[in-house]
Structure formats: C-alpha cells, structure tokens
Amino acid sequence: LVIVDNVWKNESIEPLMGILQYSKTTRMLITTQLSELLRLNSSKRFWLKTVDANKGVEFLKKQVGGEWNDQWSDVDAKRIVEKTSGVTLFLSEIASLLDDECKDALKLILYNLEKDGTTMESFYLGAFTKPLRTYGNSGLGCLQLSIESIKEKRLRNRYIMLGVFSPEIPLIPFESLQQIWNMDSIYDVQIAVGLYKNRSLLERTNHGVILHGLQRRFLVELYQTYCREGKEGFPVDN
C-alpha cells in the first residue's frame, strides 16, 4: 500500500503510476482537496463529509471556546465556512489564528481567503503555517499582506510613515509618532498603536513602539518608494 498524502499537483503522483502498472498487488491511497487530480479510470473516489454553513459556524465557535468576540459577525463566519468548503481541519486551524482582542480578526481571515488569485493550494499551504513561511520564506510577503489588509488608507499610510526612522533606532517614542502622524494628543497615538499591535505589526512599550529588524528594513524601503512615487501624504524625494 502506497499512501500519498495532501496532493495538489498531478506531477506529484505521475512518477508513481508505474508502480500500479507493473504490480497487480499494489494499491495507492491518495488524499487531496482537488478532485480533478484523480483522473485515473480505475480509481475509486471516497468523499469526506463536510459541514454546512450553520454547523460550520457552530464548530468554529466551539473551537475558539470562551474567547469568541461578540463583535465578530456570523455572516463573515459563514463566508469563511463556505470558502473552506466546510472542512473541519481548516476551521480548526482558523480558530487557532483568531485573536479575541482584535474586532476585525474574522474580516482579516476572510480578506485573505477572498483575495484575487487565491487558490485552495495557496490557501492551504499559506494560511495555516507560521507567518515567516506563509507569504514568502523571507517574511516580506507576510508583512506586505498585513499592511494591505489595513483597509483605511490613513491608517495604512501612518504605519508606512514609520519607515522615516532609521533601523538603528531601538525605540520610537510616542512624542515622535505624534509629530509625524500630526495628532492632537498622545492618547490618540496610543489608540492608533493599539490597532497596529493587534495586527502584530509592532510591539508597544510604556514609552513608544518597537519594530523588529525585518519590519524596519521593509518599512524603510516602502517609505522611500512612496516618496519617490509622490504618494499623497509623503514628501517628494528626487
């Protein structure tokens, strides 16, 4: 018995087909999310049971447990169940990613699932692995996606403005953020910082914010790009 698990491409199983041709006693068990891969006339298909939208939402809430945020929409939850085809493995993994302190957590997951070009393969290989492996081995793609998921342009641009600070600066004070973000009070700055912290885009201290090295280098480059392109709200850099 040859078991080939989690197959996404025909190329993954074609080299093994010869085994079946030359051995009458050999059997192959293939698991996949893409039924069109199983084009062998002699193959038998066994479909796993999935849950409907309502039961899927119940399952998702049960997996999250007492940390379900009341601000999370059942409509968004149902869309997630539909996008994952009601596969409980996917829903369990999504539950482990949800941050109950982030009111937009469900919307961010749904945004990732509904992005143009998203396929079941990229979704499976991407959404359920650690961040640095999710959207590019370097983690840069993950950062880009996190920034793109900030739908409000003003909030997105404020975060990119952090690229004006040198990567050598260990801590960016709230007072400096108040200046570059043109805010009336430190309290307003701290509210904005909380939004970015919920998205794991920075770390907050009692006196300011800290970005890790990869975030710093990425933001410096992105900030300079925005300046060169003359984006609204950024100084023109010739």
Side-chain angles (χ1 to χ4, degrees), residues 171-198:
L171 180 137
I172 303 174
F174 289 135
E175 290 78 9
S176 298
L177 297 179
Q178 182 181 0
Q179 292 296 319
I180 67 167
W181 288 348
N182 192 28
M183 288 186 161
D184 294 331
S185 69
I186 296 296
Y187 178 72
D188 292 333
V189 172
Q190 292 173 340
I191 292 177
V193 165
L195 296 175
Y196 301 129
K197 183 179 184 300
N198 286 340

Side-chain angles (χ1 to χ4, degrees), residues 202-221:
L202 50 72
E203 287 298 324
R204 173 179 173 173
T205 72
N206 291 332
H207 305 288
V209 301
I210 297 174
L211 301 169
H212 63 61
L214 186 62
Q215 289 172 328
R216 283 294 184 89
R217 290 190 294 272
F218 180 75
L219 285 174
V220 167
E221 182 177 342

Side-chain angles (χ1 to χ4, degrees), residues 15-225:
L16 301 174
M17 291 299 99
I19 299 175
L20 300 180
Q21 294 176 5
Y22 295 103
S23 176
K24 295 182 179 180
T25 59
T26 299
R27 297 292 183 269
M28 185 178 297
L29 175 63
I30 300 170
T31 66
T32 179
Q33 296 293 327
L34 303 178
S35 60
E36 58 266 27
L37 292 181
L38 304 179
R39 298 169 182 166
L40 304 176
N41 293 330
S42 60
S43 65
K44 294 182 180 179
R45 301 184 183 186
F46 301 90
W47 301 94
L48 293 176
K49 292 182 179 180
T50 58
V51 296
D52 61 29
N54 291 327
K55 289 184 178 179
V57 172
E58 290 178 12
F59 178 82
L60 187 61
K61 290 182 177 181
K62 184 177 180 180
Q63 293 298 107
V64 173
E67 297 180 352
W68 186 265
N69 191 317
D70 291 336
Q71 297 186 68
W72 293 344
S73 165
D74 279 9
V75 174
D76 289 338
K78 285 184 178 180
R79 286 290 298 133
I80 289 173
V81 173
E82 292 169 357
K83 292 294 291 185
T84 57
S85 301
V87 178
T88 52
L89 170 64
F90 287 2
L91 297 176
S92 294
E93 294 292 342
I94 284 177
S96 70
L97 295 174
L98 292 174
D99 179 359
D100 66 298
E101 294 184 358
C102 178
K103 65 181 181 64
D104 294 323
L106 275 186
K107 293 186 180 298
L108 291 174
I109 293 290
L110 188 57
Y111 171 82
N112 292 340
L113 298 181
E114 295 184 333
K115 283 192 66 177
D116 291 341
T118 298
T119 63
M120 282 298 289
E121 177 184 5
S122 63
F123 168 56
Y124 181 85
L125 296 178
F128 306 135
T129 53
K130 295 299 181 182
L132 290 184
R133 290 177 289 160
T134 299
Y135 303 102
N137 292 331
S138 67
L140 295 179
C142 180
L143 286 173
Q144 181 68 48
L145 180 64
S146 297
I147 294 172
E148 289 175 356
S149 68
I150 304 174
K151 295 184 178 181
E152 187 176 339
K153 181 179 179 181
R154 182 176 58 175
L155 288 176
R156 186 168 62 249
N157 284 349
R158 281 176 179 167
Y159 182 72
I160 296 171
M161 284 179 184
L162 298 180
V164 75
F165 295 99
S166 167
E168 307 303 321
I169 299 176
L171 180 137
I172 303 174
F174 289 135
E175 290 78 9
S176 298
L177 297 179
Q178 182 181 0
Q179 292 296 319
I180 67 167
W181 288 348
N182 192 28
M183 288 186 161
D184 294 331
S185 69
I186 296 296
Y187 178 72
D188 292 333
V189 172
Q190 292 173 340
I191 292 177
V193 165
L195 296 175
Y196 301 129
K197 183 179 184 300
N198 286 340
R199 290 176 167 83
S200 300
L201 290 171
L202 50 72
E203 287 298 324
R204 173 179 173 173
T205 72
N206 291 332
H207 305 288
V209 301
I210 297 174
L211 301 169
H212 63 61
L214 186 62
Q215 289 172 328
R216 283 294 184 89
R217 290 190 294 272
F218 180 75
L219 285 174
V220 167
E221 182 177 342
L222 188 58
Y223 176 83
Q224 292 174 352
T225 298

